């Protein structure tokens, strides 16, 4: 019996000068060249954005086709990988960044069994998407370059087991022309479960069309083993003050969502007035900011971290310093002018970079809200999806969003997502439900299937939908007037 052929075709020879000759990679060789701290962090975050959307897709029960479409879009945006035949891009540079990102995340996610499990699942899915999406030539060259310990079934064996193989291949003619490979049955449990293989003597006879399962299982097994070895070596890095904070932040990303590459600087700079905020909160604010506004309206006060979280959000939304002072003064109606100026005015100006070290502070991302300045029992800041009890969260969501279409029937799905720790996915689902009347469908998120990772991102996209609807109605009215005039 002969091993699966590994002869490199002419396509491999043509690109033999590449350091990374294949788009697909089992990541069994770590990067050995010098890597800057900036590369170390940037490559990992870019890859983590893709893995985070993959895990979000699992949490939202998307089909593989939906997951594949979203993952490809995220890969093109954050970790593009051109095929080997492409000559107009630096393929080695793309693949180098891909390898660096993968191995940095190994360091970040090898720390616990739970993190390792989630990382393996997301990485294996990413590999599968790339495998399914690349050209047949790319796949063939990759398979020919590796030995997956698959034994090719001989013609005599095909004849001997033809009736059994026929059940897999739908006809004698198909059996004769189809290639089969033998592997230990434990390497393809998914095919055994689905009865896609013939079992004999501890081996599974795998038709060539199901060969990908062997590859995926091999990828998963190698990565699981590599993560365990990495976990044992990780203590050697404990004294490196440059790397450990980066790895610590990365390992929190599945909990809080990856820091969004959406920047407040991308906002359209449209200014809002103090008297607009209450109405805007009812239509366009995520639960964290809606909760702060509701508490401020009720109590005429917010504690320090609540003012900080909400004030930076409003600043990024487009509230000028002059309007901010008007808003906070009116909201803190139980205080005299002297009390307000003495206790609060300086901090408001400081957040706008007008006092102290004059730094221009941006609005807090979802990750910052989830992981820093944890709220106490009497605080209003934080993330309701994480920091509220299930009963309080249900009550709060119905109070905030029932007028926008959210009903008690939607709550089990949202609470299930919260229970699994996917807080940003729960927030995204609320966004989809409350904007369904504006054409947002389940799974679309805030665009291209992306999840919410910044409160200002939520508000901006919500306002953009409203503006687009108003513009559409205006165009219809103008068109009607023209028609009537004719």
């Amino acid at each position: 019996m002969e091993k699966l052929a590994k002869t490199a075709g002419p396509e491999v020879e043509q690109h033999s000068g590449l350091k990374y000759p294949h788009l697909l990679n089992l990541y069994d060789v770590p990067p050995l060249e010098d890597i800057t701290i900036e590369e170390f962090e940037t490559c990992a975050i870019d890859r983590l954005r893709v893995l985070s959307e993959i895990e979000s897709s699992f949490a939202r029960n998307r089909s593989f086709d939906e997951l594949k479409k979203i993952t490809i879009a995220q890969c093109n945006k954050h970790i593009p990988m051109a095929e080997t035949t492409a000559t107009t891009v630096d393929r080695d540079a793309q693949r180098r960044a891909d390898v660096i990102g993968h191995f940095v995340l190994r360091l970040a996610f090898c720390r616990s069994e739970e993190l390792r499990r989630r990382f393996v699942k997301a990485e294996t899915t990413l590999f599968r998407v790339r495998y399914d999406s690349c050209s047949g030539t790319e796949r063939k060259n990759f398979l020919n370059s590796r030995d997956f310990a698959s034994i090719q079934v001989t013609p005599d064996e095909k004849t001997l087991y033809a009736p059994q193989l026929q059940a897999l291949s739908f006809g004698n003619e198909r059996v004769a022309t189809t290639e089969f490979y033998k592997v230990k049955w434990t390497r393809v449990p998914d095919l055994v479960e689905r009865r896609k293989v013939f079992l004999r003597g501890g081996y599974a006879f795998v038709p060539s069309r199901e060969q990908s399962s062997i590859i995926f299982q091999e990828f998963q097994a190698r990565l699981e083993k590599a993560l365990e070895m990495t976990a044992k070596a990780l203590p050697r890095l404990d004294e490196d003050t440059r790397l450990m904070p980066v790895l610590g932040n990365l390992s929190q990303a599945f909990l809080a969502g990856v820091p969004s590459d959406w920047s407040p600087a991308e906002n359209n700079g449209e200014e809002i007035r103090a008297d607009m905020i209450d109405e805007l909160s009812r239509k366009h604010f995520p639960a964290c900011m809606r909760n702060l506004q509701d508490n401020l309206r009720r109590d005429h006060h917010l504690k320090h971290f609540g003012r900080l979280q909400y004030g930076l959000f409003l600043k990024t939304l487009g509230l000028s310093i002059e309007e901010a002072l008007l808003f906070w003064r009116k909201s803190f109606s139980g205080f005299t002018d002297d009390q307000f100026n003495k206790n609060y005015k300086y901090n408001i100006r400081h957040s706008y970079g007008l006092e102290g070290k004059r730094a221009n502070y941006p609005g807090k991302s979802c990750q910052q809200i989830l992981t820093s300045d944890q709220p106490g029992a009497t605080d209003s800041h934080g993330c309701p999806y994480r920091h509220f009890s299930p009963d309080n969260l249900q009550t709060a969501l119905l109070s905030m969003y029932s007028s926008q279409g959210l009903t008690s029937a939607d709550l089990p799905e949202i609470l299930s997502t919260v229970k699994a720790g996917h807080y940003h996915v729960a927030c995204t689902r609320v966004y989809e439900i409350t904007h369904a009347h504006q054409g947002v469908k389940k799974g679309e998120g805030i665009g291209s299937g992306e999840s919410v990772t910044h409160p200002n991102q939520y508000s901006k996209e919500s306002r953009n939908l409203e503006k687009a609807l108003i513009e559409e109605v205006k165009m219809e009215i103008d068109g009607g007037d023209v028609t009537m005039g004719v």
Side-chain angles (χ1 to χ4, degrees):
M1 292 184 289
E2 60 186 50
K3 292 270 186 170
L4 180 63
K6 298 195 297 174
T7 319
E11 295 88 349
V12 175
E13 294 297 328
Q14 180 183 351
H15 303 291
S16 59
L18 291 173
K19 182 176 181 180
Y20 301 95
H22 305 290
L23 182 152
L24 299 168
N25 199 329
L26 293 182
Y27 304 104
D28 43 7
V29 179
L32 301 176
E33 67 269 23
D34 291 339
I35 300 170
T36 66
I37 294 295
E38 182 179 1
E39 279 184 303
F40 186 91
E41 185 170 15
T42 301
C43 292
I45 290 176
D46 286 341
R47 189 179 193 84
L48 196 54
R49 289 192 174 111
V50 177
L51 299 186
S52 180
E53 283 302 325
I54 289 174
E55 181 154 280
S56 294
S57 294
F58 293 143
R60 298 163 81 170
N61 296 316
R62 286 176 173 143
S63 67
F64 179 72
D65 288 340
E66 292 174 319
L67 181 151
K68 181 178 175 180
K69 180 179 178 181
I70 290 170
T71 302
I72 291 173
Q74 291 297 305
C75 285
N76 291 338
K77 184 176 180 180
H78 300 298
I79 49 173
M81 293 272 280
E83 295 219 352
T84 306
T85 53
T87 56
T88 58
V89 295
D90 190 340
R91 293 153 293 175
D92 266 335
Q94 288 182 339
R95 295 171 188 185
R96 176 178 181 272
D98 180 73
V99 170
I100 291 172
H102 172 86
F103 277 93
V104 173
L105 293 184
R106 276 194 192 181
L107 293 173
F109 293 107
C110 70
R111 302 178 173 201
S112 70
E113 184 177 348
E114 171 67 9
L115 286 174
R116 289 195 294 270
R117 181 188 63 78
R118 294 169 73 172
F119 180 66
V120 167
K121 185 177 180 181
E123 277 283 350
T124 303
T125 303
L126 174 58
F127 180 84
R128 181 183 174 189
V129 168
R130 284 177 169 173
Y131 186 93
D132 286 354
S133 304
C134 69
S135 67
T137 300
E138 191 79 52
R139 278 198 298 269
K140 180 180 177 181
N141 289 340
F142 169 71
L143 295 176
N144 287 342
S145 71
R146 309 303 297 251
D147 181 3
F148 291 100
S150 302
I151 304 171
Q152 191 166 12
V153 174
T154 65
D156 290 343
E157 287 178 303
K158 280 205 258 185
T159 301
L160 179 62
Y161 301 120
Q164 293 87 346
L165 297 179
Q166 179 180 338
L168 304 175
S169 303
F170 311 105
N172 286 319
E173 183 180 353
R174 188 77 177 274
V175 170
T177 58
T178 299
E179 290 186 341
F180 292 84
Y181 302 96
K182 290 197 301 185
V183 295
K184 291 290 186 181
W185 73 268
T186 52
R187 292 184 57 194
V188 285
D190 58 325
L191 297 182
V192 174
E193 181 183 8
R194 292 186 285 130
R195 304 187 179 213
K196 295 288 186 180
V197 293
F198 165 57
L199 300 178
R200 180 76 179 182
Y203 283 89
F205 286 61
V206 182
S208 57
R209 68 174 181 273
E210 303 288 353
Q211 188 182 16
S212 59
S213 287
I214 302 174
I215 316 304
F216 302 153
Q217 183 67 22
E218 181 74 10
F219 181 93
Q220 180 175 326
R222 289 189 183 208
L223 183 53
E224 287 172 348
K225 184 176 180 180
L227 283 170
E228 291 175 1
M229 295 175 62
T230 305
K232 294 177 182 178
L234 189 64
R236 302 175 193 171
L237 289 175
D238 283 347
E239 296 180 2
D240 194 321
T241 57
R242 301 168 303 164
L243 302 185
M244 294 311 292
V246 176
L247 297 177
N249 288 334
L250 291 170
S251 64
Q252 295 184 40
F254 277 147
L255 166 68
V258 186
S260 176
D261 63 338
W262 179 85
S263 169
E266 295 175 15
N267 214 338
N268 55 21
E270 178 186 353
E271 290 192 6
I272 61 173
R273 300 186 310 274
D275 58 7
M276 297 168 58
I277 292 174
D278 201 47
E279 181 181 358
L280 288 173
S281 72
R282 294 187 177 96
K283 297 163 65 177
H284 305 298
F285 283 12
C288 54
M289 302 306 167
R290 178 72 182 270
N291 176 61
L292 286 166
Q293 174 62 19
D294 289 349
N295 278 273
L296 179 60
R297 188 190 314 114
R298 183 192 66 209
D299 301 332
H300 304 289
H301 185 258
L302 288 176
K303 297 175 73 173
H304 171 73
F305 288 118
R307 296 197 305 272
L308 180 63
Q309 179 177 316
Y310 195 38
L312 292 176
F313 167 80
L314 294 175
K315 171 192 170 185
T316 305
L317 194 67
L319 191 69
S320 68
I321 180 60
E322 294 80 14
E323 290 293 325
L325 290 170
L326 286 174
F327 169 75
W328 288 107
R329 179 66 194 97
K330 181 178 180 181
S331 298
F332 282 36
S333 57
F335 298 87
T336 65
D337 287 341
D338 286 343
Q339 289 173 321
F340 179 81
N341 292 334
K342 179 180 179 181
N343 297 322
Y344 305 109
K345 187 174 182 179
Y346 177 88
N347 286 337
I348 297 169
R349 288 176 53 82
H350 186 276
S351 67
Y352 278 78
L354 300 176
E355 302 288 355
K357 63 180 182 179
R358 300 182 182 275
N360 184 24
Y361 299 98
K364 289 181 176 290
S365 69
C366 293
Q367 185 180 38
Q368 291 172 312
I369 292 171
L370 282 163
T371 58
S372 62
D373 306 323
Q374 297 301 294
T378 60
D379 289 317
S380 303
H381 67 282
C383 172
Y385 299 101
R386 183 183 185 189
H387 299 123
F388 281 19
S389 69
D391 288 343
N392 287 345
L393 178 60
Q394 290 186 75
T395 302
L397 290 177
L398 288 174
S399 174
M400 293 175 185
Y401 297 115
S402 58
S403 62
Q404 293 177 264
L406 186 138
T407 68
S408 56
D410 299 312
L411 294 177
E413 178 187 2
I414 295 168
L415 291 174
S416 175
T417 307
V418 169
K419 185 177 180 180
H422 302 294
Y423 309 113
H424 57 300
V425 176
C427 185
T428 305
R429 183 66 189 121
V430 169
Y431 177 91
E432 292 170 347
I433 293 168
T434 56
H435 293 80
H437 64 288
Q438 294 169 304
V440 177
K441 297 181 176 61
K442 183 175 182 179
E444 287 186 356
I446 55 171
S448 302
E450 290 189 34
S451 300
V452 175
T453 55
H454 200 294
N456 286 100
Q457 181 188 29
Y458 182 113
S459 294
K460 180 183 177 183
E461 295 304 325
S462 177
R463 295 182 71 196
N464 284 344
L465 283 174
E466 183 182 63
K467 290 174 186 176
L469 186 61
I470 292 173
E471 191 65 29
E472 183 179 337
V473 171
K474 182 179 177 182
M475 289 178 65
E476 289 180 0
I477 293 175
D478 291 343
D481 288 345
V482 171
T483 302
M484 289 171 64
V486 172

